[in-house]
Amino acid sequence: PASETFFHEPTHYRDFADFEQRHFKVTHSERNVTPAQREAILRLFNSHLKADGVTLAHRMRIDLLRKRS
């Protein structure tokens, strides 16, 4: 039997460059973010930014596999 569990994990970013590095410039996936999309994301990100950065909820999924007894 297997199950999926979803939860939100708080993730802190120092600034947009930190966010961009961790989400757009990853090596495991190809991101095709257009300049217009990047600008929209930047505006939204900056609307939440404080002096110490921003903490956003990152949706996580865990697949739990159980060995049958």
Side-chain angles (χ1 to χ4, degrees):
S3 65
E4 288 182 323
T5 300
F6 294 91
F7 62 96
H8 288 99
E9 176 72 18
T11 305
H12 186 79
Y13 304 95
R14 292 182 310 273
D15 52 25
F16 188 73
D18 183 27
F19 176 86
E20 188 172 40
Q21 181 67 38
R22 292 161 67 181
H23 291 280
F24 298 164
K25 298 179 179 178
V26 294
T27 58
H28 58 76
S29 300
E30 184 176 329
R31 304 283 191 226
N32 295 313
V33 179
T34 67
Q37 289 170 324
R38 184 188 178 283
E39 286 303 313
I41 294 165
L42 174 61
R43 279 194 305 277
L44 185 58
F45 182 91
N46 284 338
S47 73
H48 297 281
L49 188 60
K50 307 287 186 226
D52 64 341
V54 63
T55 299
L56 302 173
H58 187 87
R59 188 168 186 206
M60 305 292 286
R61 183 188 82 208
I62 295 175
D63 295 325
L64 182 60
L65 307 174
R66 294 193 176 111
K67 190 181 226 181
R68 294 176 197 236
S69 39

